[in-house]
Amino acid sequence: MGSVDELLAIMAKLRCPESGCEWDLGQDFHTIVPHTLEEAYEVADTIERGDFTALKAELGDLLFQVIFYAQLGKEQQLFDFEDIVSGLNRKLKQRHGHIFADEAEPGNWEQRKHQQRQAQGQKQLLDDIPSNLPALSAAHKIQKRVASVGFDWPCISGALDKVNEEVEEVREAINIDPHSDHSAEEIGDLLFATVNVARHLGRDPEQLLRQANRKFTKRFNQVEVHINEQQHCLKDASLAQMEAAWQKVKSQE
């Protein structure tokens, strides 16, 4: 028995009504989703930390999510693992027709995907973007999608100018009423514009913000150490003391 076949057999045994695992038997498509998202983020975190020793195990955990969905699909006679793989093989060949066909298909990757979505009955360009994607990822995907049909800044300077424009609009809205819905809307527009700058540089905004979060966390942890070394409790330290510690940490990096 191959490794994948053994994995499928293990999953089937875990879901066996007579002798399976109580937790696994209690799951359905909806309850597994949070675990899938968690495993995907753990894979991303492992890669970004450069911990490739742990990556193998994390990828295994993510693969198990696919196996779980395949078992649920099989039980409900919707699809099985073979259907998933066959569909993926077919999709990859269709989207890379210039590699797997005798003649190259016209258009780029996004254009070919758009043509396939239209063939499948999708009415509008942005219809199939998942509503539960992380907001930064969704913004990035929306912008890539509209750029594929030519709705885009010709170069990054346009995207940067838009960020400056949105900053001023945020400032104006806050000056009128910082707690208004309009102020909140303008901040959202600023975030969306910032994502566009990252996209023009070929960077993933979700990944960039995770990196920024890690950098800030590392620095602030050192600030806390510095404050404690001065015999101060962090919550009792003044802003000036924390700022001085922050600048010292930055200078030591």
Side-chain angles (χ1 to χ4, degrees), residues 51-104:
D51 189 356
F52 295 104
T53 301
L55 179 59
K56 180 172 64 175
E58 295 297 347
L59 288 170
D61 292 341
L62 184 58
L63 174 60
F64 180 70
Q65 300 299 304
V66 178
I67 296 296
F68 210 130
Y69 289 120
Q71 177 64 28
L72 293 172
K74 184 176 182 180
E75 292 170 3
Q76 299 180 34
Q77 298 183 331
L78 299 172
F79 55 82
D80 59 17
F81 185 72
E82 182 63 30
D83 295 328
I84 294 172
V85 175
S86 296
L88 176 59
N89 291 342
R90 185 167 55 254
K91 183 195 300 183
L92 290 173
K93 289 179 179 179
Q94 288 173 346
R95 290 184 176 174
H96 296 85
H98 59 298
I99 295 175
F100 294 100
D102 293 335
E103 296 182 3

Side-chain angles (χ1 to χ4, degrees), residues 12-75:
K13 191 166 185 177
L14 290 173
R15 289 280 298 180
C16 176
E18 292 80 25
S19 59
C21 168
E22 182 178 350
W23 186 89
D24 290 282
L25 285 167
Q27 306 310 308
D28 58 29
F29 282 112
H30 298 284
T31 62
I32 292 297
V33 169
H35 301 283
T36 306
L37 295 174
E38 180 180 343
E39 297 300 349
Y41 280 117
E42 287 182 2
V43 167
D45 180 66
T46 303
I47 292 172
E48 289 167 10
R49 288 187 289 104
D51 189 356
F52 295 104
T53 301
L55 179 59
K56 180 172 64 175
E58 295 297 347
L59 288 170
D61 292 341
L62 184 58
L63 174 60
F64 180 70
Q65 300 299 304
V66 178
I67 296 296
F68 210 130
Y69 289 120
Q71 177 64 28
L72 293 172
K74 184 176 182 180
E75 292 170 3

